Amino acid sequence: MSPVIGRLAIIGQGLIGSSITRAVYERKLARETVITDADPKVRKRLLELGLGEARVVDTASEAADGADMVIGCVPVRAYGEVVSEIASVLKPGAILSDVGSVKQGIVEECLPLIPDGVHFVPAHPLAGTEFSGPDAGLPRLFADRWCILTPPEGVDQTAIKTASKFWEGMGSKVEVMSPARHDTALAITSHLPHLAAFSIFHTALAQEEADHSPVIQFSAGAFKDFTRIASSNPVMWRDIFLMNREPVLKALRNFIADMEACARAIEAGDGDTLENLFSVSRSTRRKVIEKEHISQQPKKPKGELKDTLFRPYSQGD
Amino acid sequence: MSPVIGRLAIIGQGLIGSSITRAVYERKLARETVITDADPKVRKRLLELGLGEARVVDTASEAADGADMVIGCVPVRAYGEVVSEIASVLKPGAILSDVGSVKQGIVEECLPLIPDGVHFVPAHPLAGTEFSGPDAGLPRLFADRWCILTPPEGVDQTAIKTASKFWEGMGSKVEVMSPARHDTALAITSHLPHLAAFSIFHTALAQEEADHSPVIQFSAGAFKDFTRIASSNPVMWRDIFLMNREPVLKALRNFIADMEACARAIEAGDGDTLENLFSVSRSTRRKVIEKEHISQQPKKPKGELKDTLFRPYSQGD
């Protein structure tokens, strides 16, 4: 089978960019891969790592020049700058994509900068690890994960199909939706949990200070699972919240209202309301996991699935 | 070395009770173990399982009669009933303990029922899995986990030392504190995260209904980690919240205030406040994990530690 992409350019070689570089090589998804990073130290490291057959160049324009597909893998607030830089060298018929965690803001910023004849197919792979940088990339990072494509209205269907084949080639489950719908969904399933995980440390630290006694150390698996995402990159997350403001605020206000309802139920000793809420949540969570469970993806690593379903955690701790 | 306990009685053989039974047998912590459960089906299953050399009896009184240490492993709201039932057969000098997730309420309920000469040393092992019942027990469930002892004032120091030796014998890290302090600490590190995890599903489901489009399915590791504890037992958690009302309400109100502060910062586009909050939380979390890392516990399974520190999750998803 011939590669999905002829010449592929990947701009930015952090965790996500270098994972794509590795996956593309392992799965032979491009005939030729050109990579770069704005940071000279990263470019130097890329030469040492020698990721597959990827050619390392010094500038985004050099990488994008003549590429059939260009994927930006930079912080959410840097896309406008990158697209302005490469716009003039993008070849007609090329596919331009990204990996940003927020879509509406990136589309609004980049769309006016993209020349006619270039197909803009924004993407968001729902995958990552707690590490960053070109050494942290994993060739199987996207396997069995969602990749959400958010093409603006009127984008060429063939380009969307090619982008889908590209991500499916890396083992992802691809879903196409509007940028706005993506941002609303992720505000709840990703942005809000991150905010709650970051916040609870402030709540706990304030209590330690008020009581002059340790609190956080007496946390078992429950707190560790719950707050794992609080190890995420503060600058990256600051920018995600600033860019996805309205959907996050809406989700956050609904969440606060739900927590206030819990407070009222606890205050009133209303056990039925609590038990009902908990039961619905548990069954919903099991349905979500069940979805995972019956996923038709090939090569689904059983270990990972077992881990998701059965990894002991500290219920009751 | 002779066993820490002569005759041990374990009342209730769910996940925690049957894990203690298994651990005690594996580590030879008692000369004799007598177990029971209020549910005849569980008692029948215990006979089939044949947990070590534990003798299965039909009633709590039969189990507690003549025991040197009695551990109740029942739902938090059932301890008063159990203690009333066994009070008359408890032998002078016996240690009475429990494994409840809430301590103040259990102490207030049980202390008046306990005869003079019986040493009440309440315990809370910060450990569990998402399963329940006698088949779910694990002999190493408590290894390298905290076990918090909350003896009421004036309890015999020798009894506290014996209880500590017993839990250390199962590999736990033992800490002694007041019931009130336990409840305050766990309200933040366990009860509040459970409430948030349960609640966020309500928030997500309400949004799915409002938008007529799926949301929860587009969740990657972040949401899964964050909500793993929402698979916990609804009745057990209803009772924990009802019994630990004031500390939970205090923690919950502080958490809501912190989330409201985040909402204000996002609304105002105040990136510095967000970045600062996130940075403090990340460094705090790493300190907590670091604490784990330098834990002096013997037999600390490296795998588990690696899992805690490095298991990939979906930062950025």
Side-chain angles (χ1 to χ4, degrees), chain A residues 57 65 69 98 100 104 127 131 146-147 161 165 193 198 222 229 308 311:
Chain A
V57 297
D65 194 358
M69 185 176 189
D98 74 315
Q104 189 71 38
F131 299 108
W146 285 104
C147 180
K161 280 205 189 65
K165 272 180 67 182
F198 281 126
I229 51 185
T308 307
R311 189 170 65 84

Side-chain angles (χ1 to χ4, degrees), chain A residues 101 128 130 184 190 198 203 207 224 227-228 232 238 245 258 267 275 281 285 311 313 315 317, chain B residues 128-129 184 189-190 198 203 207 224 227-228 238 245 258 267 275 281 285 288 309 311 313 316-317:
Chain A
S101 301
E130 60 200 290
T184 308
S190 172
F198 281 126
T203 313
Q207 186 169 309
K224 293 206 182 73
T227 61
R228 179 165 288 114
S232 307
R238 176 201 66 195
R245 182 150 90 179
D258 289 336
E267 196 156 26
E275 185 182 345
S281 296
R285 184 171 198 284
R311 189 170 65 84
Y313 73 96
Q315 165 184 6
D317 64 355
Chain B
T129 78
T184 308
T189 60
S190 173
F198 281 126
T203 313
Q207 185 168 309
K224 293 205 182 74
T227 61
R228 180 165 286 114
R238 175 201 68 195
R245 181 149 93 178
D258 289 337
E267 196 154 25
E275 185 182 345
S281 296
R285 185 173 197 281
V288 177
L309 284 173
R311 191 169 65 84
Y313 75 97
D317 65 358

Side-chain angles (χ1 to χ4, degrees), chain A residues 21-100:
Chain A
T21 303
R22 288 171 167 96
V24 163
Y25 175 67
E26 189 179 281
R27 295 164 181 252
K28 304 184 170 35
L29 296 172
R31 201 188 60 245
E32 178 190 3
T33 305
V34 187
I35 61 177
T36 190
D37 194 279
D39 181 345
K41 288 192 299 299
V42 171
R43 294 199 299 272
K44 182 169 172 298
R45 181 59 185 154
L46 290 170
L47 291 168
E48 292 160 7
L49 286 169
L51 298 183
E53 293 149 344
R55 183 156 59 85
V56 183
V57 297
D58 286 339
T59 67
S61 300
E62 214 179 320
D65 194 358
D68 299 294
M69 185 176 189
V70 178
I71 308 176
C73 303
V74 301
V76 286
R77 297 220 286 194
Y79 282 103
E81 196 182 321
V82 169
V83 174
S84 318
E85 185 185 337
I86 65 174
S88 62
V89 301
L90 289 171
K91 94 178 180 192
I95 295 172
L96 177 62
S97 191
D98 74 315
V99 295

Side-chain angles (χ1 to χ4, degrees), chain B residues 6 22 28-29 38 55 68 70 75-76 97 101 119 125 130 148 194 206 221 224 228 233 245 250 261 283 292 302 312:
Chain B
R22 289 171 167 94
K28 302 184 174 36
L29 297 172
R55 184 156 57 85
D68 300 294
V70 179
V76 287
S97 190
S101 302
H119 310 300
E130 60 200 289
I148 300 177
H194 277 79
K224 293 205 182 74
R228 180 165 286 114
N233 181 318
R245 181 149 93 178
K250 187 185 163 201
S283 62
E292 282 290 292
K302 287 281 172 292

Side-chain angles (χ1 to χ4, degrees), chain B residues 269-280:
Chain B
D270 178 359
D272 294 346
T273 297
L274 295 174
E275 185 182 345
N276 178 54
L277 170 72
F278 301 167
S279 302
V280 170

